[in-house]
Amino acid sequence: MIKFIDYKLIKQPNTISEETFTPNNNLVEFINSREGGNSRILVIKASNSSGKSFLLNSIAYAFKALELPDDELSPSLRRSLNYLIDKEHQKINFEIDIDDPDGFKINGKFNYLDENEIRIKDKKGGAEKINSDEFSSRYKLLYDIPEKPLDRIYKLLKSIKEFNGEILGNLNPLDIKIRDILKSIKEERDEVVIKKIQDRINRDLELKKTHEDKLDKLKENLKDLENYDNLIRLKKSTDSKARKVIEFSNIEKELKLLKPSSRSKKNTDNKNKISALKKEIRNLHISSLLVYCKEEIIENVYYEKFTNSFSKTDVNLFNYLFDNPESIVDDLLVNDVEKISKFIKGLESFKNISLDKVFKELKSEYNEFDYKFIKELKNAFTKYQDNCRQSQLIIGLFDKNPYLIMEKLDIYENKLSIVDDLNKLQKELNNAISSLVGKINKGLSFSKKLSREITKNKSGNNGYDKKIERANNIKESINRDKLEIDKLRNNLEINGVKLSVLNDANSIDELCDNLYMKNNYCKGKEKEQIDEYKNEIKKSELFLVTLDKALLDDNVKLKVENSKKSSKYALNHREIQIFSNKLSFFTRYMVQRNALISDNGELKSDDSLEYKSYMKIIGEYVASLMGNKIIYQDSNVDIAYIDYSSKTPYFVTQNDRRIAFSDFSGGQGSSNYLKAKLNISEERKFIVLIDEIANMDNKSLEMVIDRLKELNNNNKLLLAILVEPAKESNTFKIRSY
């Protein structure tokens, strides 16, 4: 209610047309009366030029109407306010006091010197100046002329969009706070987890010590067996070399007693060709490739499974192919076509039947599809974590922390990664054996040429050439024995056998006897035991590597867990997570639905069910702003919602009667529009200034007054002034409600 109002308006100051205006006497008397002192709702009916519009403009300007956004102040009213403060045209001093229902006064004043301030006055007479933001946080100024009211009911959608935006803005700090809480829970210190990690580290350290001791013992046993095997081979190679040296010496003596063949000079070219072809065969390095294949099979971690899967036929074939890698080279040198063909067939059979069967059995223990699925899932989780670190979607779907899921996926991937190892090993062996077959076939071609050249060389000589050929072969064999002896001596030195022992035959025999007694548990199967030790050593080394990785990971986890602090929210983790998921869903819903309304309040058309559903929710909300009642054809009509989804908007009644916006009169439209603007759910107090209500009949005006009374009864109204023109001159009447 207005407690005080005063103004002085000087038009055309300092000119012969100067005029001075002060408040209408009827207005002053009304304010000073008991009726005026208790009234917050005023309807002023006054003749033209009586100052009714000036009164509304002045109150609006005093309470910062020019700072309202464009959609809350019409262009015509904004122009009127700018004219009001045109100092070249007029000078104004204006002041008003309004009682606030909460027991203080709100004072607004301005003048032509550009002073414009709002103050809060308490009961003791004290006054506090407040700025525009503080004022707008307490009060909502509604200054309007109901122009095209039904169009503006449609435009209320913009206020809904802004309201939704405010909700989202208010929810954002809550969302951030909840995310921080969830992060603090995730980073909470958990003594149980810390103890589990520490226990696991202690257990793995003990396990590591046990396996290191076992590995050292295996290596010691392997060294003894290898030394024994190498010493036996060294003795055999040394004896073989000694016999060949004697044989070579005897042939040299025989050659001195024989005459060279008369064709020896002619055969020089032939001998050169023989030497070249032999060199070509040896340069294929077939024996080295056979050794490589054997080592790949017996030294990989799956050798034990290989031996278990091999049949007796497979084992015999393996030994035939790989135990004596020089034999196939010897067969090529003498062109033994039958043995060469048999060897090639054996290789093909071993690759296509024996190995294929073994790898199928090994891979049948693991589901290759599971492995691919785990890898793809892990990649998807990794990308999601990298790009959406703050998202809680994974927790919502799986009810588990993404890091725990990744740990589980790592375990599965490591377990199933054997599939990759097996595929790689199978490919390498198949390629190596295929390469072997190709090299042997190429060697066979050289062997046939070699055979022809040898045949030419043998014809027509007296045995001299045969002995030369034999001497050359023995010499080559002696050289091979030398290489083998050097290799064995080097291996023995590396394994700790002293050079003084290797240079003395008796010392070698003594060491052999000692090692034989030490290794008699093998019962003649030293070779098999060596392969078994190598396999066990490889498995142990692989296990220790895996164990070191686990220890490294656990030490990192322990450091991370020890650095965490306790969270007071941990006991309510599940409830907080569920609320966070719901808040995220609601926020997405609001953002998606708000996008259906453009920034200027226009609807974006859509034929989806979601669109129609949301339009009905909006229609029900706007209808509730109007109290679910409208004036239509001089009657009160109850409405359920407004149908915005149609090209022509409709009011829809409880029994589905549809009333088009275009069917309303101007006064009824104004009444319905003002009811919608006077939102009972608004938390601030209203200052309502409505000009030009003449187009509303008594029924329409009564509905607006009823809404203002409802606001007043709910302590939501500071002041309401509605004005209409009077046909009679010199009229200024005030009705209060």
Side-chain angles (χ1 to χ4, degrees):
M1 57 197 74
I2 300 174
K3 286 299 181 181
F4 168 81
I5 189 167
D6 187 33
Y7 62 81
K8 184 178 181 180
L9 168 64
I10 303 174
K11 291 189 175 183
Q12 304 297 326
N14 303 319
T15 68
I16 58 172
S17 303
E18 180 179 306
E19 292 181 275
T20 301
F21 299 89
T22 56
N24 186 282
N25 289 332
N26 290 351
L27 176 62
V28 175
E29 289 175 5
F30 178 82
I31 291 171
N32 292 330
S33 69
R34 177 179 295 180
E35 180 185 5
N38 295 320
S39 300
R40 295 190 185 278
I41 304 169
L42 309 178
V43 176
I44 299 176
K45 186 173 184 179
S47 53
N48 291 332
S49 301
S50 61
K52 60 184 185 300
S53 294
F54 170 79
L55 176 64
L56 295 184
N57 284 337
S58 297
I59 295 173
Y61 184 82
F63 293 123
K64 311 294 184 180
L66 279 179
E67 295 183 17
L68 292 173
D70 289 343
D71 62 313
E72 293 187 23
L73 187 68
S74 70
S76 60
L77 290 177
R78 194 175 293 276
R79 282 194 298 272
S80 296
L81 293 176
N82 283 316
Y83 294 154
L84 181 70
I85 56 174
D86 181 3
K87 288 184 284 188
E88 294 182 3
H89 169 65
Q90 58 192 22
K91 292 181 179 180
I92 302 174
N93 286 289
F94 180 88
E95 185 173 2
I96 185 171
D97 279 353
I98 305 172
D99 254 357
D100 188 288
D102 292 335
F104 54 85
K105 290 185 179 67
I106 183 83
N107 171 264
K109 65 180 179 180
F110 67 93
N111 58 40
Y112 67 93
L113 298 175
D114 294 330
E115 293 176 349
N116 184 5
E117 61 184 32
I118 303 171
R119 292 180 180 273
I120 300 293
K121 294 181 176 180
D122 59 30
K123 292 179 180 179
K124 296 180 180 180
E128 178 188 355
K129 185 178 177 180
I130 62 172
N131 60 30
S132 300
D133 291 337
E134 290 175 297
F135 175 79
S136 61
S137 69
R138 298 186 184 195
Y139 304 101
K140 179 175 178 61
L141 175 61
L142 173 60
Y143 185 27
D144 211 340
I145 298 177
E147 302 166 317
K148 298 182 180 178
L150 290 171
D151 285 350
R152 293 170 75 183
I153 289 177
Y154 193 89
K155 295 287 186 173
L156 284 171
L157 295 173
K158 182 177 180 181
S159 66
I160 293 173
K161 183 180 181 73
E162 291 170 350
F163 177 69
N164 288 345
E166 288 178 11
I167 291 176
L168 289 170
N170 291 330
L171 287 178
N172 188 53
L174 175 63
D175 187 41
I176 292 172
K177 178 63 177 176
I178 290 175
R179 288 177 186 274
D180 288 342
I181 289 172
L182 288 171
K183 185 179 179 182
S184 75
I185 294 173
K186 184 178 72 176
E187 296 175 353
E188 182 198 20
R189 181 182 179 86
D190 190 330
E191 297 298 335
V192 174
V193 171
I194 290 172
K195 187 176 185 306
K196 283 183 179 178
I197 296 173
Q198 188 62 66
D199 289 346
R200 198 161 60 232
I201 289 173
N202 294 337
R203 181 201 66 200
D204 286 349
L205 286 172
E206 291 180 8
L207 194 60
K208 181 180 179 182
K209 179 66 171 60
T210 301
H211 274 265
E212 284 175 340
D213 293 343
K214 178 184 175 184
L215 182 61
D216 290 340
K217 182 65 176 174
L218 285 170
K219 287 181 176 180
E220 185 65 29
N221 291 343
L222 176 63
K223 184 177 76 171
D224 288 342
L225 277 173
E226 285 181 333
N227 284 347
Y228 178 72
D229 183 62
N230 286 335
L231 285 170
I232 296 298
R233 289 167 61 192
L234 179 62
K235 288 175 66 176
K236 287 181 179 178
S237 296
T238 303
D239 292 345
S240 173
K241 177 191 168 191
R243 288 195 304 272
K244 291 171 185 175
V245 167
I246 293 171
E247 186 178 359
F248 181 77
S249 178
N250 291 335
I251 291 175
E252 276 190 323
K253 291 176 182 178
E254 291 176 8
L255 284 171
K256 289 178 181 179
L257 300 175
L258 291 173
K259 292 181 179 180
S261 171
S262 58
R263 297 176 58 199
S264 60
K265 292 181 180 179
K266 297 178 182 178
N267 287 344
T268 302
D269 291 341
N270 177 255
K271 290 177 181 178
N272 290 338
K273 288 180 181 179
I274 290 172
S275 297
L277 287 168
K278 286 182 177 180
K279 186 176 181 181
E280 290 282 3
I281 291 171
R282 291 193 179 95
N283 285 345
L284 291 172
H285 302 295
I286 292 170
S287 59
S288 298
L289 197 52
L290 284 165
V291 171
Y292 165 78
C293 288
K294 181 179 180 180
E295 288 176 349
E296 279 294 296
I297 293 172
I298 66 175
E299 292 184 8
N300 75 77
V301 294
Y302 310 107
Y303 179 60
E304 185 178 349
K305 293 185 177 181
F306 270 57
T307 54
N308 292 336
S309 299
F310 275 161
S311 66
K312 187 174 181 181
T313 302
D314 295 327
V315 173
N316 291 335
L317 181 58
F318 176 81
N319 293 335
Y320 162 68
L321 294 171
F322 301 108
D323 270 4
N324 189 0
E326 290 292 337
S327 64
I328 183 63
V329 179
D330 292 339
D331 292 337
L332 287 168
L333 289 172
V334 298
N335 192 33
D336 193 331
V337 177
E338 184 179 347
K339 287 184 179 180
I340 295 168
S341 298
K342 180 182 176 183
F343 196 87
I344 291 173
K345 288 179 182 178
L347 283 173
E348 295 282 5
S349 176
F350 185 73
K351 182 186 79 168
N352 297 327
I353 298 175
S354 302
L355 282 181
D356 189 61
K357 176 184 66 177
V358 169
F359 280 109
K360 279 182 180 178
E361 287 184 16
L362 288 173
K363 286 189 279 189
S364 68
E365 298 177 20
Y366 309 94
N367 190 323
E368 200 160 358
F369 179 80
D370 283 350
Y371 180 51
K372 290 179 181 177
F373 172 71
I374 291 293
K375 286 181 74 174
E376 290 171 2
L377 190 59
K378 184 181 174 185
N379 288 335
F381 263 80
T382 302
K383 289 179 182 177
Y384 186 85
Q385 287 293 96
D386 289 343
N387 296 303
C388 306
R389 290 186 181 276
Q390 298 301 318
S391 176
Q392 299 296 317
L393 176 63
I394 298 300
I395 295 177
L397 289 173
F398 297 95
D399 194 22
K400 187 175 286 188
N401 189 296
Y403 296 102
L404 297 178
I405 297 173
M406 287 295 289
E407 283 184 9
K408 199 72 173 176
L409 288 174
D410 281 335
I411 293 171
Y412 280 119
E413 185 182 32
N414 290 334
K415 181 180 178 182
L416 295 171
S417 63
I418 292 174
V419 174
D420 268 350
D421 295 341
L422 290 171
N423 286 334
K424 183 180 178 182
L425 178 61
Q426 185 176 14
K427 184 178 179 181
E428 288 176 353
L429 285 173
N430 285 344
N431 289 341
I433 292 174
S434 296
S435 177
L436 261 174
V437 171
K439 286 179 179 291
I440 293 172
N441 280 321
K442 190 174 181 179
L444 181 59
S445 174
F446 291 138
S447 180
K448 290 176 181 177
K449 293 178 184 179
L450 176 63
S451 178
R452 288 195 294 271
E453 294 299 329
I454 290 174
T455 301
K456 289 179 188 177
N457 191 45
K458 286 180 179 179
S459 58
N461 63 47
N462 59 358
Y464 182 86
D465 291 338
K466 288 183 180 180
K467 289 195 179 291
I468 286 289
E469 179 69 21
R470 176 64 180 159
N472 288 336
N473 287 341
I474 292 172
K475 191 174 182 180
E476 288 179 6
S477 184
I478 290 171
N479 289 333
R480 286 199 297 272
D481 285 340
K482 284 181 178 179
L483 290 173
E484 177 69 8
I485 289 168
D486 289 342
K487 177 184 173 183
L488 291 169
R489 284 171 64 91
N490 184 57
N491 289 340
L492 286 162
E493 279 190 76
I494 291 172
N495 270 353
V497 179
K498 294 179 180 180
L499 193 60
S500 57
V501 173
L502 296 175
N503 290 333
D504 181 61
N506 292 330
S507 297
I508 290 175
D509 290 339
E510 185 179 346
L511 182 57
C512 273
D513 291 341
N514 290 336
L515 289 174
Y516 174 78
M517 296 300 295
K518 197 172 183 179
N519 299 323
N520 64 358
Y521 62 91
C522 297
K523 297 179 180 179
K525 295 184 178 181
E526 287 82 3
K527 185 178 177 182
E528 290 82 353
Q529 188 63 56
I530 287 173
D531 290 342
E532 186 177 332
Y533 279 150
K534 285 182 177 180
N535 187 38
E536 287 185 27
I537 288 170
K538 192 164 187 177
K539 285 195 292 184
S540 290
E541 288 174 340
L542 184 62
F543 177 80
L544 285 169
V545 169
T546 305
L547 199 59
D548 282 336
K549 183 178 181 300
L551 280 165
L552 180 63
D553 290 345
D554 276 342
N555 277 304
V556 171
K557 289 175 185 175
L558 184 63
K559 187 175 180 181
V560 170
E561 291 297 327
N562 274 326
S563 67
K564 291 179 179 179
K565 297 179 181 178
S566 298
S567 171
K568 62 183 179 180
Y569 302 105
L571 292 175
N572 304 105
H573 182 196
R574 182 174 177 79
E575 292 81 357
I576 294 171
Q577 185 62 66
I578 291 171
F579 179 78
S580 177
N581 295 342
K582 290 179 178 178
L583 180 60
S584 296
F585 176 81
F586 177 74
T587 302
R588 286 196 302 274
Y589 174 84
M590 290 286 285
V591 170
Q592 291 167 0
R593 296 302 179 263
N594 229 23
L596 297 174
I597 306 173
S598 67
D599 290 339
N600 63 359
E602 295 291 339
L603 283 173
K604 298 178 182 178
S605 182
D606 191 335
D607 294 329
S608 67
L609 289 175
E610 290 84 356
Y611 172 81
K612 291 179 180 178
S613 173
Y614 187 60
M615 286 303 102
K616 186 172 182 183
I617 292 172
I618 289 176
E620 289 173 345
Y621 173 70
V622 176
S624 71
L625 297 182
M626 302 166 68
N628 292 101
K629 287 184 183 294
I630 58 172
I631 293 289
Y632 179 63
Q633 294 180 350
D634 296 328
S635 300
N636 290 335
V637 178
D638 293 332
I639 58 170
Y641 64 95
I642 298 173
D643 183 359
Y644 283 108
S645 64
S646 304
K647 188 174 181 181
T648 300
Y650 288 88
F651 291 104
V652 182
T653 67
Q654 301 290 351
N655 55 2
D656 285 336
R657 178 187 175 193
R658 301 168 72 81
I659 305 170
F661 276 24
S662 56
D663 292 344
F664 284 84
S665 67
Q668 292 169 343
S670 296
S671 175
N672 292 327
Y673 165 70
L674 288 175
K675 283 180 60 184
K677 291 291 286 183
L678 297 169
N679 180 7
I680 193 67
S681 63
E682 171 65 55
E683 293 184 359
R684 297 171 293 175
K685 295 184 178 73
F686 277 95
I687 299 174
V688 181
L689 306 171
I690 307 297
D691 203 356
E692 302 296 342
I693 61 169
N695 64 344
M696 283 191 278
D697 58 19
N698 290 336
K699 192 79 173 176
S700 301
L701 181 59
E702 184 182 333
M703 290 193 70
V704 176
I705 298 297
D706 286 344
R707 174 52 65 90
L708 290 170
K709 288 179 179 179
E710 188 179 357
L711 288 171
N712 190 32
N713 292 335
N714 284 279
N715 200 25
K716 293 290 184 67
L717 184 65
L718 190 67
L719 176 67
I721 301 177
L722 292 76
V723 303
E724 59 178 324
K727 294 179 181 179
E728 305 84 2
S729 61
N730 299 320
T731 301
F732 198 100
K733 296 179 180 179
I734 302 172
R735 301 194 308 273
S736 63
Y737 296 87

